[in-house]
Amino acid sequence: MINKIRGFLLLAVAALLAVAGYKLFDGLESPVGKIQLSNLEKGIDVQIENFNLSHESNGKKEWELQAQLAQINNEQETTHLKRVEIFMNRDNGAKYSISADVGLLQNKTDDFQLEGNVRLIGGPDLLAERLATGTKAGSLEKKQ
């Protein structure tokens, strides 16, 4: 009889831990945002609300990317972003901000493309510098 009570209590504790674990990890808030793992569209592995990603070099934050929604596709190694904002800090202290309706982040290289109502706030120096040095996709060069 005592063994049956022990078995029942052990089963009850295991069930309670399983329910608590499910409640704890359902809609998990992480440093990058609220993560959703189930009921996703085809091709989307993870969906994150209030996504936040930053890049640091030598202890200094070079850029920070924020998005209302990020949908990660591990097969294509891309992250589709909605309502994107990117904040950049340059060595000379200049700060820039770029915003767009949608974006695509390449997970391996951290390169991103922005589309729809793209706005650059800050001096034109950053854009002129990028055009002068060229891009990976094609060699855009500043004409002299």
Side-chain angles (χ1 to χ4, degrees):
M1 181 69 171
I2 292 177
N3 287 337
K4 288 183 181 181
I5 293 173
R6 284 183 187 161
F8 175 75
L9 287 176
L10 183 61
L11 184 62
V13 168
L16 183 62
L17 288 174
V19 169
Y22 175 77
K23 291 291 184 183
L24 179 67
F25 293 110
D26 184 38
L28 176 67
E29 276 290 331
S30 75
V32 295
K34 183 177 179 184
I35 299 174
Q36 180 181 351
L37 298 172
S38 59
N39 300 327
L40 300 174
E41 297 174 25
K42 185 177 181 181
I44 299 173
D45 299 308
V46 178
Q47 182 169 296
I48 304 171
E49 295 176 11
N50 301 319
F51 181 72
N52 191 338
L53 178 67
S54 63
H55 175 74
E56 293 184 11
S57 179
N58 297 326
K60 182 180 177 189
K61 187 183 292 188
E62 291 185 356
W63 56 264
E64 180 178 8
L65 184 147
Q66 297 176 352
Q68 186 179 46
L69 181 69
Q71 297 174 321
I72 301 170
N73 184 326
N74 288 325
E75 184 177 320
Q76 296 178 357
E77 297 179 343
T78 59
T79 302
H80 296 272
L81 307 163
K82 294 182 182 175
R83 301 277 186 244
V84 185
E85 285 187 274
I86 302 162
F87 304 98
M88 293 178 281
N89 300 314
R90 303 298 290 174
D91 292 335
N92 62 4
K95 295 184 179 189
Y96 298 91
S97 169
I98 302 174
S99 62
D101 292 337
V102 295
L104 179 68
L105 173 67
Q106 299 295 330
N107 296 346
K108 278 194 171 187
T109 62
D110 287 337
D111 290 336
F112 45 86
Q113 302 168 347
L114 303 173
E115 295 180 11
N117 297 315
V118 178
R119 293 181 56 188
L120 170 65
I121 299 172
D125 302 342
L126 178 68
L127 186 59
E129 178 185 316
R130 181 67 174 177
L131 290 174
T133 59
T135 63
K136 293 178 188 174
S139 59
L140 293 174
E141 295 182 12
K142 190 175 183 181
K143 295 185 179 181
Q144 300 188 24

